[in-house]
Amino acid sequence: MVTDGPRAAALLPEPLRSAPGPGGAFLLDARTALVAGPGSESAARWLRDTLGAATGFPLPPGPDPGGGPGGAIVLGLLPELAGQRGPGSPEAYRITVDSRRIDIRGGGAAGVFWACQTLRQLLGPAAFRRAPVDPAARWEVPAVSIEDAPRFRWRGMMLDVARHFTPKDGVLRWLDLLAAHKLNVLHLHLTDDQGWRLEIRRHPRLTEVAAWRRRTKYGHRASPLWDERPHGGYYTQDDVREIVAYAAQRHITVIPEIDIPGHSQAAIAAYPELGNGDAVDTRALETMTTWGVSPNVLSPADSTLRFYEGVLEEVLDLFPSPYVHVGGDECPKEQWRRSPAAQARIAELGLAGEEELQSWFVRHFARWLGDRGRRLVGWDEILEGGGLGGRGPTEGGRPGPVVASWRGYAGGIAAARAGHDVVMCPEEHVYLDHRQAPGDDEPMPIGYVRTLEDVYRFEPVPAELTPDQAERVLGAQANVWTEVTETRQRVDYQVFPRLAAFAEVAWSALPPSAERDFTAFEARMTGHYARLDALGVDYRPPDGPRPWQRRPLPDGVSGTLGRPIDGPPPAG
């Protein structure tokens, strides 16, 4: 790829094509106009607000042709960019810069917006600040021609807000950070054994009881330490509407996750009738205070189905996403084995056993969501126990469930071969709560060592798939679990800079050699760290944690705070 100047060379994710343009650089100043053609108005508002704050310039509307004394930034649609899959899509864009004009064209409104993110990078790190820092700064954009489009349509990050709650303003901040990296999906893990984070008006105890736990395990579940302060919080329905609207302005889809039938102890603590009361005293349960997988799972009663249908009715009203995640993973079966009611249900339905009962739960909600024009997403366990009913990629004539492959590649390969759409998010590659390096100074080191280079070399499309099967891979997602990342600073440290590497994997086309150039990526990251500094991200520096980021090592507990996994991760 040919680039011009350090700013064009440091673009991240790397664009498809970038070449020097004729003439000199474009100088942005107080006279520069911003012209928005039909379909680009939302991007123009974002650009005026963001660059206006950083530069102090008004960027007033102006007539197109680029010719006032301060030149013009001209935004518009170019439908032919969206004429085909791959390089042509509504997210494709083209930027042409000369000394009089910055011309931005997108295949759709999303393409214009992503182009504006590239323009912000071309202006330098100070463009990522919220107010001018140097009144005498010269805001130059190098003469350049860029053509770009995403490799995948699903470029996501999952944020676990159930284990440790992220307040609304923190979610809005994450949406800005995702947008800055051209990621377009925020998957919110809203419910789990340790907390319920969404207001459901017909079931108020979900936020009165299930949203709070009396104390929290500090570190891995084997740790002897506790944080004795109560923890909790939830999003009101107006909070969610604000989050969804803010995301839509940035062309990001917010996907809610409501766990069934496992990971449900918090909900059962609030409404004991949801659990298996004939196998365990559900009235004695509380929102789970430690980590791991709770044995307390949902009862397969009709009343349980109706309860969660009511929950999902409110979820669908709040989240316009075509996808709704229902978990479907890590569901212990012991209570069902001991429950006469669950055993009677298995017999009534003609199921082979408890594994098929879990699959029956998932298929019920796949049909229910499909009848309402939405698609179920589930972790790769939804393929088990009879799977998705042998229906292939469709359910009643509609697109069928999507499989999120987290236990390596195997689930995604099996799903794609069966014709199901897949999102690749294997734990051993893109779980960003896993440690970034070996060593005792890494804060709360759990999981596999996954360095910046490891994430950069992640390949979402398994080589075992045929070209037709590979088309079933919608994209990839990095997952951020928060059992041991209890503060914003800790989450920042785990996620960055690795999310930048993941963003390039999800956006940028593979080179002809199919081998990404990590050395070149590291060189571009040198410039990107300055952007992260301007954004206030508490990332892990390339030479290791800063003193305040290091893990404290109390005597006698250093080996139990975290859960390092020795040896290489499993293959595939």
Side-chain angles (χ1 to χ4, degrees):
M1 184 183 75
V2 180
T3 57
D4 179 47
R7 290 178 186 165
L11 292 176
L12 196 153
E14 186 176 30
L16 277 174
R17 286 175 288 277
S18 177
F26 180 94
L27 179 63
L28 185 75
D29 62 25
R31 302 167 299 170
T32 301
L34 176 57
V35 182
S40 65
E41 296 88 351
S42 176
R45 285 192 294 272
W46 179 87
L47 195 62
R48 184 172 286 115
D49 290 345
T50 305
L51 290 191
T55 64
F57 301 149
L59 299 177
D64 182 358
I73 304 171
V74 181
L75 313 182
L77 302 186
L78 191 63
E80 51 262 42
L81 289 173
Q84 57 183 352
R85 287 196 64 182
S89 82
E91 296 185 285
Y93 68 86
R94 187 181 70 195
I95 299 177
T96 307
V97 181
D98 61 30
S99 62
R100 297 302 308 151
R101 176 170 165 146
I102 299 174
D103 189 81
I104 290 176
R105 303 291 161 175
V112 177
F113 180 74
W114 301 131
C116 290
Q117 295 291 343
T118 298
L119 173 60
R120 192 184 189 191
Q121 292 193 15
L122 290 169
L123 280 163
F128 289 79
R129 297 192 178 272
R130 297 184 184 183
V133 295
D134 180 3
R138 283 178 60 84
W139 295 90
E140 290 187 347
V141 182
V144 68
S145 175
I146 298 170
E147 295 182 12
D148 202 7
R151 181 185 180 196
F152 294 111
R153 53 183 145 156
W154 186 307
R155 308 180 302 279
M157 189 187 90
M158 187 223 71
L159 180 63
D160 170 17
V161 297
R163 272 54 175 271
H164 279 101
F165 179 60
T166 299
K168 180 202 69 178
D169 285 353
V171 177
L172 300 179
R173 173 179 179 264
W174 273 109
L175 289 167
D176 282 331
L177 291 173
L178 296 187
H181 292 82
K182 298 187 175 74
L183 297 171
N184 67 347
V185 171
L186 175 62
H187 166 185
L188 285 178
H189 183 76
L190 291 165
T191 75
D192 215 298
D193 298 311
Q194 295 85 7
W196 184 286
R197 306 294 175 219
L198 178 63
E199 178 189 20
I200 301 296
R201 290 176 177 167
R202 71 188 72 184
H203 300 306
R205 286 178 62 81
L206 290 172
T207 44
E208 293 169 358
V209 175
W212 310 94
R213 60 178 180 262
R214 61 183 174 87
R215 65 175 185 167
T216 299
K217 177 67 71 172
Y218 182 73
H220 184 252
R221 59 182 176 270
S223 165
L225 303 182
W226 292 89
D227 181 343
E228 295 291 349
R229 297 172 297 176
H231 178 82
Y234 64 91
Y235 307 111
T236 68
Q237 295 204 354
D238 280 346
D239 288 339
V240 172
R241 291 186 178 97
E242 180 182 358
I243 288 167
V244 168
Y246 195 84
Q249 292 168 357
R250 288 148 183 78
H251 298 276
I252 296 172
T253 299
V254 182
I255 297 177
E257 181 180 354
I258 306 295
D259 263 300
I260 59 164
H263 287 290
S264 298
Q265 181 169 322
I268 297 168
Y271 291 95
E273 64 271 22
L274 295 175
N276 298 282
D278 57 350
V280 65
D281 183 5
T282 57
R283 295 168 299 177
L285 294 178
E286 64 176 345
T287 302
M288 193 170 173
T289 59
T290 188
W291 312 126
V293 178
S294 169
N296 296 292
V297 301
L298 297 177
S299 161
D302 286 340
S303 58
T304 304
L305 299 181
R306 300 292 87 78
F307 182 98
Y308 275 85
E309 287 171 0
V311 167
L312 290 172
E313 284 172 0
E314 296 193 31
V315 167
L316 298 190
D317 183 57
L318 294 168
F319 294 90
S321 163
Y323 305 98
V324 175
H325 205 299
V326 301
D329 65 317
E330 294 183 325
C331 178
K333 311 298 190 298
E334 182 57 31
Q335 287 185 5
W336 287 345
R337 294 186 187 100
R338 292 190 286 111
S339 163
Q343 291 301 309
R345 188 64 150 172
I346 289 170
E348 172 196 343
L349 296 169
L351 303 176
E354 294 78 18
E355 296 292 337
E356 287 195 7
L357 186 60
Q358 179 177 346
S359 181
W360 167 82
F361 253 107
V362 173
R363 291 199 304 271
H364 173 87
F365 286 102
R367 288 191 297 270
W368 190 91
L369 289 167
D371 288 343
R372 289 153 182 81
R374 308 296 183 96
R375 295 184 73 182
L376 178 144
V377 185
W379 305 111
D380 53 57
E381 284 96 330
I382 68 175
L383 294 168
E384 298 172 355
L388 302 175
R391 293 177 175 83
T394 62
E395 181 92 17
R398 298 185 181 91
V402 176
V403 176
S405 187
W406 76 275
R407 296 179 300 175
Y409 286 101
I413 291 170
R417 286 174 174 168
H420 299 293
D421 287 341
V422 177
V423 175
M424 284 294 185
C425 48
E427 176 184 13
E428 63 270 21
H429 296 281
V430 288
Y431 271 35
L432 300 186
D433 52 311
H434 286 203
R435 52 192 175 145
Q436 303 193 57
D440 287 341
D441 59 350
E442 289 298 316
M444 212 66 75
I446 65 169
Y448 304 109
V449 172
R450 274 292 164 256
T451 66
L452 180 66
E453 182 172 2
D454 291 330
V455 174
Y456 188 69
R457 298 202 182 283
F458 165 57
E459 172 46 47
V461 180
E464 296 92 328
L465 298 181
T466 67
D468 286 346
Q469 292 165 353
E471 290 291 311
R472 289 292 174 187
V473 179
L474 301 179
Q477 183 169 286
N479 294 339
V480 184
W481 302 99
T482 60
E483 291 95 333
V484 300
T485 52
E486 71 280 6
T487 65
R488 191 185 95 170
Q489 279 187 316
R490 281 287 292 111
V491 178
D492 276 10
Y493 180 92
Q494 291 302 124
V495 172
F496 288 103
R498 292 183 296 181
L499 191 69
F502 172 81
E504 182 147 310
V505 168
W507 176 279
S508 301
L510 279 173
S513 66
E515 182 72 23
R516 296 187 183 275
D517 186 343
F518 181 69
T519 300
F521 171 77
E522 274 192 307
R524 283 182 288 117
M525 275 303 302
T526 301
H528 197 64
Y529 286 119
R531 298 177 193 132
L532 296 178
D533 286 331
L535 287 166
V537 176
D538 200 22
Y539 58 85
R540 182 189 189 277
D543 56 353
R546 300 177 175 97
W548 59 89
Q549 295 172 324
R550 293 173 186 156
R551 176 170 60 121
L553 296 171
D555 290 342
V557 297
S558 61
T560 57
L561 283 178
R563 182 179 60 93
I565 297 175
D566 295 327

